[in-house]
Amino acid sequence: MSNAAYGLLGAPLAMAALPLFVQLPAYYATHLGVALAPLGGVLFAARLIDMLQDPLLGYLLDRAQAQRRRWMALGAAALALAFAALWLPPPAVAPGAWLALMLVLAYGAHSLVNIAYLSWGARLPSALGPVAWREGMGLAGMLAASLIPAAILAADAAQVRPRLGAYSIGYALLLLIAMFALLRHAPSPATSGDSGSGGNEVNSWRDTVREVAGNRALRLLLAPYFINALAVAIPATLALFYIDDQLGAPHLAGIFLACYFGAAACGLPVWTALARKLGPLKCWRLGMLLSVLGFCGAALLGTGDLLPYAAVCIAAGAALGADLALPPVLLAAALGERLGPGTGFGLFTLLGKLALALAGLSLPLLAWLGYQPGAGGGTHLLLAYAVLPCLLKLLAIATLRSPT
């Protein structure tokens, strides 16, 4: 059960990540009245700050392995507070300003805990086993985060705030239990001195930059990872707008998200097993191709096409399992002996959050093109939500190459 003790933290981390990247933009636009253009600007700025801090956090965590547990506990406490604050802005404060401030705090705390958590897993003896538990629990957390907030926000307006408060308390308790399981019962990660590297890890920021620049296997992963992350981030930002205005089914948003993440949870062990036979690189290509096939269908849908969209969610969700499980395995193999996992995962999270920052700009772009939430979908929303991600996925497939 040691892998389970390690993997449990994936659930609350994912439960925080889903609102940050998917639900809060629509919540602040439709429930709190923040216009799309300033909302997109806030998302872009907060995600840009979040992106820039990740390599530094990864580097510092590699240098301070003895204090990793303490920093993870402090980061978890800050994350629990920021999570509640994002759902419950004070009535007297402008919601846009509050969102900007709390997003910076939430992103920073989440990054600190997540990078340390990923580095912990990378230093465990097996790669695929801990990753499967972590991502499986993460998908369980995403399922909970898909259904519970959607049910709360669909309730009577007078009940929304107290129920969001109870949800935030429940989240804090889950995060506390998961952190306790990790710190007390998960296997301890190897340190630099006993990881088999012979003490050859780099010891300065300049050495780290030079080592990354000279690592061909790592460099070959960065472009396809970023392009694929952008292809995932754009529809994640626009999903609730698409469900509300293109399909006319806001009451089913939680069900569609649950189909998506449920399919990812079911697909995760399949991709993990398939990677052992075909290799993670080939499996990742197949996963991206499956995602393209799914999103092509989304471009053809309109009001009332609920079952076809559920099929799209299942296909795209199954493909998401490959995006979750396989890039970390490829990264761990590409790092070599001298680069620490904190540095490597800091680079990956930097690129992922750069993609999220750029995806936030899709909101002011759509506003400039004439789209307004609640006024129906249209060509521009379809192109942004479905067609553009397909093109980006195909580009990621074309740029993904073997280092040998």
Side-chain angles (χ1 to χ4, degrees), residues 342-359:
T343 300
F345 284 110
L347 278 171
F348 261 32
T349 53
L350 180 150
L351 294 175
K353 288 173 182 178
L354 175 59
L356 286 165
L358 294 175

Side-chain angles (χ1 to χ4, degrees), residues 31-55:
H31 286 77
L32 301 180
V34 180
L36 283 186
L39 177 61
V42 167
L43 292 176
F44 176 76
R47 290 170 177 178
L48 191 64
I49 293 171
D50 183 35
M51 174 200 77
L52 294 175
Q53 71 186 353
D54 277 3

Side-chain angles (χ1 to χ4, degrees), residues 21-23 25 231-240 257 260 295 356 385:
F21 304 139
V22 177
Q23 294 166 324
V232 174
I234 291 173
T237 300
L238 301 178
L240 296 187
L257 289 175
Y260 179 70
F295 271 102
L356 286 165
Y385 175 76

Side-chain angles (χ1 to χ4, degrees), residues 215-349:
N215 188 324
R216 182 173 179 269
L218 179 59
R219 286 188 288 108
L220 286 175
L221 277 178
L222 298 182
Y225 182 82
F226 169 71
I227 297 168
N228 182 69
L230 185 58
V232 174
I234 291 173
T237 300
L238 301 178
L240 296 187
F241 298 100
Y242 177 92
I243 294 169
D244 288 1
D245 291 334
Q246 188 65 28
L247 301 179
H251 58 291
L252 295 178
I255 300 299
F256 288 134
L257 289 175
C259 287
Y260 179 70
F261 293 115
C266 294
L268 185 64
V270 176
W271 291 114
T272 302
L274 197 59
R276 293 190 177 100
K277 296 182 178 180
L278 302 180
L281 198 71
K282 183 179 293 186
C283 284
W284 193 20
R285 287 197 188 100
L286 292 174
M288 287 190 279
L289 183 59
L290 177 60
S291 181
V292 170
L293 295 176
F295 271 102
C296 282
L300 306 175
L301 303 182
T303 303
D305 291 331
L306 305 182
L307 289 179
Y309 185 64
V312 167
C313 291
I314 291 171
L320 178 66
D323 288 334
L324 293 173
L326 302 179
V329 176
L330 291 168
L331 174 63
L335 285 176
E337 295 184 347
R338 289 172 56 78
L339 282 173
T343 300
F345 284 110
L347 278 171
F348 261 32
T349 53

